[in-house]
Amino acid sequence: MEAGGVADSFLSGACVLFTLGMFSTGLSDLRHMQRTRSVDSIQFLPFLTTDVNNLGWLSYGVLKGDGTLIIVNIVGAVLQTLYILAYLHYSPQKAKIIQTKSTQRLSFSLTIATFLSSTSWSIYGFRLRDPYITVPNLPGIITSLIRLGLFCKYPPEHDRKYRLLQT
């Protein structure tokens, strides 16, 4: 196997691994919803936008015939749909978002996973010389860096109700 082929296979594997890791961060929210039977500190928008994003990328993967894009986005769409259904089940009304100077409602693990996933997909698209993969992942890098900045500026409170890496 040539050097570019090995590097591309490694990068494809990294994209899959980081993206599945990012999708799995919602499992802690799912467990929280099941345990508390509420959506008190869970945000709905990330589930919805990621699900729509997965469906769009799945369509592109099918058109392009890219197995990496197809597999990852089928898994992502299924998981995000599950998270949405659980959210709707446990949400008697729309959750209210209160703007505070606290990162307690931000998921640190999702921020790191999004950064790794978006970065690996951008590099993957760059290696393939495919701006349709590279460019849409740049906002994920930028917003992750902004969220990391917020974690630095407003460190999470250290109490029993919140853990930095929620499990």
Side-chain angles (χ1 to χ4, degrees), residues 23-77:
F23 295 155
S24 70
T25 61
L27 292 173
S28 63
D29 290 334
L30 182 61
R31 281 192 299 266
H32 177 77
M33 287 186 278
Q34 288 175 324
R35 189 172 45 248
T36 64
R37 302 192 117 5
S38 73
V39 295
D40 58 353
S41 64
I42 309 291
Q43 295 179 3
F44 178 74
L45 193 57
F47 298 143
L48 179 62
T49 57
T50 304
D51 201 15
V52 170
N53 189 36
N54 287 140
L55 295 172
W57 280 110
L58 176 59
S59 299
Y60 179 68
V62 169
L63 289 173
K64 187 174 170 103
D66 187 318
T68 301
L69 288 172
I70 293 169
I71 292 168
V72 164
N73 287 292
I74 285 174
V75 172

Side-chain angles (χ1 to χ4, degrees), residues 75-113:
V75 172
V78 168
L79 284 174
Q80 298 306 316
T81 301
L82 172 67
Y83 301 153
I84 288 169
L85 292 173
Y87 187 95
L88 294 174
H89 176 73
Y90 292 115
S91 177
Q93 59 184 344
K94 291 183 179 179
K96 296 178 182 178
I97 299 173
I98 301 170
Q99 294 183 350
T100 64
K101 292 184 177 181
S102 170
T103 55
Q104 190 170 12
R105 296 194 184 268
L106 294 178
S107 170
F108 184 77
S109 58
L110 178 59
T111 300
I112 295 298

